[in-house]
Amino acid sequence: LKASRLEPTPLNSQPSLFLFSVTMGKAAKTGKKLPNAPLAAKKAKAVKNPLFEKTPRNFRLGGDIQPKRDLTRFVRWPKYVRLQRMKKIMIMRLKMPPAINQFNMTIDKNQAATLLRLLKKYTPETNEAKKARLMATAEAKKAGTEEKSKKPQVIKYGLNHVTTLIEQKIAKLVVIAHDVEPIETVCWLPALCRKKDVPYCIIKGKGRLGMLVHKKMASCVALTTVRQEDKTELDKLAENFKAQFNDNTEVRRRWGGGIMGTKSQHVTQRREKAVQIEQAKKLGLSIA
């Protein structure tokens, strides 16, 4: 009875559509297998050597020790380091008058080497040498064989002493350090040298001048007399420095500083370019 009640389903019914879509999907999946590329190299399996077992590192939490990296930018530097770095940047940014900026125009490396070689010949005696000399003089005086010695030819140092020598026009050459702190202590010295017509020069490093006179640092040193064999070299140096510093009006006029950072420079350039484009539009021109 159940079989007699079954009726044939029409062709446009839903089940036939479902069957049709299933059969299409199966046909699409069972397509032809494409051949491999002719030049494709077959990957050969790497033969593992049991003697050298690969042990990769694991840098996750609780794993291997991390490799050393450059952490300079993340270091909390001491206060004196931060201060000197900030000071250098501030000096670059601020505009500097000629009286201060002249200390940035120093003698070059070759001139400095020649000058220091000459000054090294006239370094003053150390405390030990002075003590030994005085003891020898005292012994000679006691024995009654005292001889009169000549005044030693040495470089003079100390700001007050050098200033007196310049004012009296005794100094033949004055050497000033470029990094004296505070700079106000020596910023007037070049003007005094020019007024008294004493050759001067500015050298890099107060420590280098200090080594010549057995001190940590020296703001300035001066030569008053030299031996006959060094007279030609001193005259030549004095002549060169007089032309480079004393008679150079550019030193007294040039301002310094005003150097902005990279970002600020780019902003300024963009503004200038925008102004140029605006002016060109008004004139009817085109700027690329």
Side-chain angles (χ1 to χ4, degrees), residues 259-271:
I259 302 165
M260 303 308 291
T262 313
K263 291 179 183 177
S264 300
Q265 285 179 16
H266 289 166
V267 170
T268 311
Q269 286 170 7
R270 283 200 295 271
R271 281 178 188 164

Side-chain angles (χ1 to χ4, degrees), residues 51-276:
L51 295 175
F52 304 102
E53 189 179 348
K54 191 176 181 181
T55 54
R57 293 186 194 179
N58 176 26
F59 293 122
R60 298 183 71 176
L61 287 174
D64 291 300
I65 297 167
Q66 295 284 335
K68 286 188 177 180
R69 297 185 181 89
D70 185 16
L71 303 173
T72 313
R73 288 184 61 83
F74 308 102
V75 174
R76 184 176 173 82
W77 293 99
K79 195 171 183 180
Y80 79 96
V81 174
R82 281 180 281 152
L83 280 173
Q84 65 190 14
R85 287 179 180 177
M86 287 190 286
K87 184 190 170 187
K88 188 183 178 184
I89 291 168
M90 188 182 71
I91 288 169
M92 283 173 64
R93 301 286 183 268
L94 295 175
K95 285 193 175 179
M96 208 181 296
I100 306 296
N101 188 50
Q102 65 181 336
F103 289 95
N104 292 328
M105 291 175 264
T106 56
I107 57 176
D108 61 27
K109 197 176 179 181
N110 296 327
Q111 287 175 314
T114 311
L115 177 63
L116 291 170
R117 201 181 306 120
L118 175 65
L119 292 173
K120 203 166 184 181
K121 295 177 184 178
Y122 298 95
T123 54
E125 60 186 356
T126 58
N127 291 334
E128 291 81 8
K130 186 179 179 181
K131 190 177 179 181
R133 179 175 59 81
L134 291 173
M135 285 293 289
T137 309
E139 290 291 333
K141 194 173 182 179
K142 188 179 178 181
T145 57
E146 188 183 358
E147 293 181 4
K148 289 188 176 180
S149 58
K150 290 182 180 179
K151 189 180 178 183
Q153 294 174 328
V154 293
I155 51 180
K156 311 296 181 183
Y157 64 98
L159 190 57
N160 290 341
H161 190 193
V162 172
T163 306
T164 309
L165 294 172
I166 295 167
E167 286 171 344
Q168 295 171 354
K169 296 188 179 179
I170 299 171
K172 298 288 185 289
L173 179 64
V174 178
V175 185
I176 308 165
H178 89 297
D179 55 347
V180 180
E181 184 65 35
I183 198 70
E184 290 86 354
T185 52
V186 291
C187 66
W188 47 270
L189 206 55
L192 182 66
C193 290
R194 282 195 295 270
K195 188 179 179 183
K196 296 293 180 180
D197 202 30
V198 175
Y200 77 94
C201 69
I202 295 166
I203 192 171
K204 280 191 175 180
K206 58 189 175 185
R208 290 203 284 182
L209 295 184
M211 283 171 67
L212 295 169
V213 295
H214 314 298
K215 302 284 180 188
K216 276 188 181 178
M217 55 193 73
S219 58
C220 56
V221 296
L223 267 175
T224 52
T225 54
V226 290
R227 290 185 285 272
Q228 194 64 37
E229 62 265 22
D230 297 323
K231 198 166 178 59
T232 313
E233 191 177 1
L234 177 65
D235 292 341
K236 190 179 177 183
L237 282 169
E239 189 183 343
N240 291 342
F241 293 148
K242 202 166 187 180
Q244 190 176 343
F245 291 95
N246 291 58
D247 303 334
N248 189 4
T249 55
E250 183 67 22
V251 173
R252 285 170 276 169
R253 291 177 184 171
R254 187 186 293 177
W255 281 66
I259 302 165
M260 303 308 291
T262 313
K263 291 179 183 177
S264 300
Q265 285 179 16
H266 289 166
V267 170
T268 311
Q269 286 170 7
R270 283 200 295 271
R271 281 178 188 164
E272 286 173 359
K273 194 173 181 182
V275 169
Q276 288 175 2

Side-chain angles (χ1 to χ4, degrees), residues 12-23:
N12 57 351
S13 63
Q14 288 292 343
S16 61
L17 285 172
F18 174 73
L19 288 171
F20 179 72
S21 64
V22 169
T23 52

